[in-house]
Amino acid sequence: MSIFTEVPQAPPVAVFKLTADFREDTHQQKVNLGVGAYRTDDCLPWVLPVVKKVERLIVEDDSLNHEYLPILGLPEFRSASSKVALGDDSAAIKENRVGGVQALGGTGALRIGAEFLRRWYNGVNNTATPVYVSAPTWENHNAVFSDAGFKDIRPYHYWDAAKRGLDISGLLDDLEKAPEHSIFVLHACAHNPTGTDPNQEEWKKIAEIMKRRNLFVFFDSAYQGFASGSLDKDAWAIRYFVSEGFELFVAQSFSKNFGLYNERVGNLTVVAQDNDNLTRILSQMEKIVRTTWSNPPSQGARIVSKTLNCPELFAEWKGNVKTMADRVLLMRDQLKSKLQALGTPGTWDHITQQIGMFSFTGLNPKQVEFMIKEKHVYLMASGRINMCGVTTKNIDYIAQSIHEAVTKIQ
């Protein structure tokens, strides 16, 4: 008998299970609206032209080698990443109180930040500090903070299903009622899974309460530039909170906006009160990294670093990002128009009011099941669809399938 006989079978990760089911489906018109990755109008992955160009530069650069990087990562990558998040004219950067930790994607940045907060925030090894995540949120948020040792993970109001938009009054009320020093995970832009973001006035209200009640801000920024096509617009909330004097963390992912999904390129930006605090924070994060992955990989970080630090390549990258964002915006507009033309019951304005890669359709679990089993259109049980999976070639079929799901299944 094996010593591992008692190990239970873990349930599969939903989004990857959905993709596996899609691959096994032999239906001619099958559509995958599940996985969170960009697709061209031919439904193919896209290697950004600027990435191909930089990869060639790296191959031809004889000065590069495969020696270990510093534990906290490639310095020029970390500083450029933080500058993209906080802006060229960031006072915090000029005051030398911003640092970065290269991480294995946005998930790695979240995990290093969560591990640090459990060890050193609100007391030493305080596993009882409440951590608030939006309802709904990316499912990994709960697991990352739970696995980092936090025992009290709570939802905060976010999605108003009735009006298919932001429940700002519920969100503000939760901020008022949360215990002081609670940690709030905020989506910087293009909220996953709803695609619904606070507007600037709502962000100001959120910041006012969080400052007054001493709540910790942990931004998750996975879609900067990808949401609106503008790096600055998508970073507005982060920069506003920093301008208001918050000490905060920003988990950055370059999976979506560089198309570097399997390179695992992330950065944890730390905004501290002053350089002395920053130095001590990073010293402890170095210890966490040492026992987690010990040393980060260089390839993806070099691609991002070379792009961000060269004005010509940076401009080309911004153009590539806008190409992706514009295609998603076009598909949103066309899908809404087609559903309205079909006379599909309900309001579909939320499709164009939402932003970024995902749309929260409002389809219920039974309608989702109909979409998958009868129409071979694969989407998450929550009703979330990846707008990048919508193309000029399949949009009519998708719209008709949604129309049938809504009219046939209650």
Side-chain angles (χ1 to χ4, degrees):
M1 180 180 285
S2 169
I3 56 172
F4 299 115
T5 301
E6 301 301 314
V7 177
Q9 178 69 39
V13 177
V15 69
F16 288 94
K17 172 70 163 61
L18 194 75
T19 299
D21 291 345
F22 168 79
R23 285 190 183 126
E24 290 177 10
D25 193 330
T26 56
H27 194 268
Q28 291 253 304
Q29 287 182 289
K30 68 178 182 177
V31 181
N32 185 2
L33 301 180
V35 72
Y38 180 76
R39 293 291 180 265
T40 65
D41 196 52
D42 293 319
C43 229
L44 296 171
W46 191 45
V47 180
L48 273 59
V50 72
V51 167
K52 284 186 176 180
K53 184 181 288 186
V54 174
E55 284 178 326
R56 285 194 291 271
L57 291 174
I58 290 171
V59 168
E60 293 163 4
D61 187 344
D62 291 334
S63 71
L64 297 177
N65 54 47
H66 296 290
E67 291 293 297
Y68 288 119
L69 297 181
I71 292 173
L72 291 181
L74 196 67
E76 54 270 36
F77 163 77
R78 291 153 50 203
S79 59
S81 299
S82 295
K83 189 181 287 187
V84 163
L86 303 187
D88 288 337
D89 57 350
S90 169
I93 291 176
K94 290 173 184 173
E95 292 160 9
N96 202 22
R97 56 189 183 88
V98 174
V101 178
Q102 184 185 332
L104 301 191
T107 305
L110 284 164
R111 181 57 189 262
I112 295 300
E115 187 75 30
F116 174 86
L117 291 172
R118 195 212 72 235
R119 293 186 188 191
W120 298 109
Y121 173 69
N122 196 25
V124 177
N125 198 32
N126 189 350
T127 61
T129 302
V131 177
Y132 284 80
V133 298
S134 63
T137 193
W138 181 49
E139 74 280 351
N140 229 11
H141 280 153
N142 292 276
V144 166
F145 281 86
S146 176
D147 281 3
F150 286 99
K151 305 293 187 190
D152 186 4
I153 298 166
R154 310 178 184 184
Y156 62 84
H157 285 85
Y158 196 85
W159 175 251
D160 185 330
K163 72 174 188 182
R164 296 189 179 182
L166 180 67
D167 179 8
I168 186 63
S169 60
L171 196 168
L172 296 176
D173 190 52
D174 286 342
L175 289 170
E176 291 283 11
K177 291 177 178 174
E180 282 204 348
H181 308 297
S182 293
I183 298 162
F184 273 76
V185 180
L186 304 175
H187 300 232
C189 67
H191 181 273
N192 179 4
T194 71
T196 297
D197 293 343
N199 61 37
Q200 290 186 5
E201 289 308 308
E202 289 165 340
W203 274 121
K204 288 178 181 178
K205 291 177 184 174
I206 292 167
E208 186 277 319
I209 297 172
M210 294 194 76
K211 183 191 278 190
R212 173 164 46 82
R213 304 217 55 258
N214 296 312
L215 303 173
F216 187 83
V217 181
F218 198 146
F219 276 110
D220 187 353
S221 180
Y223 302 95
Q224 188 182 349
F226 199 103
S228 68
S230 164
L231 291 170
D232 295 328
K233 187 176 179 182
D234 292 348
W236 187 90
I238 294 170
R239 294 174 188 180
Y240 178 75
F241 274 72
V242 174
S243 74
E244 287 293 294
F246 282 86
E247 292 185 275
L248 52 78
F249 291 171
V250 184
Q252 297 170 265
S253 168
F254 292 99
S255 294
K256 311 298 194 292
N257 55 18
F258 265 86
L260 293 171
Y261 303 97
N262 67 13
E263 292 288 356
R264 311 312 299 137
V265 193
N267 185 62
L268 177 64
T269 287
V270 177
V271 180
Q273 189 176 48
D274 52 40
N275 181 258
D276 176 60
N277 276 284
L278 176 68
T279 302
R280 286 183 285 104
I281 291 166
L282 293 179
S283 75
Q284 292 295 338
M285 287 186 173
E286 189 172 66
K287 291 186 70 175
I288 296 167
V289 170
R290 181 66 175 144
T291 59
T292 307
W293 51 71
S294 184
N295 204 271
S298 68
Q299 178 70 3
R302 280 178 177 154
I303 292 169
V304 173
S305 175
K306 283 183 177 291
T307 304
L308 298 184
N309 286 303
C310 169
E312 293 80 15
L313 293 171
F314 185 64
E316 185 177 346
W317 172 60
K318 286 198 287 186
N320 291 174
V321 171
K322 194 169 188 314
T323 296
M324 294 189 285
D326 285 350
R327 193 184 94 69
V328 172
L329 291 168
L330 180 64
M331 290 299 99
R332 285 186 181 280
D333 193 55
Q334 291 187 5
L335 182 59
K336 183 182 85 167
S337 296
K338 289 182 184 294
L339 288 169
Q340 289 174 335
L342 288 167
T344 309
T347 175
W348 298 97
D349 290 336
H350 58 284
I351 291 177
T352 51
Q353 289 165 353
Q354 294 167 358
I355 198 166
M357 186 174 277
F358 302 114
S359 179
F360 220 46
T361 58
L363 296 176
N364 65 42
K366 286 186 178 179
Q367 291 165 339
V368 170
E369 186 179 16
F370 172 85
M371 291 277 286
I372 295 172
K373 290 189 174 176
E374 302 299 325
K375 307 306 292 183
H376 306 269
V377 177
Y378 289 77
L379 65 159
M380 299 297 286
S382 63
R384 185 197 85 172
I385 63 172
N386 177 7
M387 291 303 303
C388 303
V390 182
T391 71
T392 54
K393 300 171 184 65
N394 65 24
I395 192 168
D396 288 313
Y397 181 70
I398 291 168
Q400 184 61 42
S401 298
I402 292 173
H403 178 77
E404 288 182 33
V406 172
T407 51
K408 291 181 178 180
I409 311 294
Q410 299 306 312

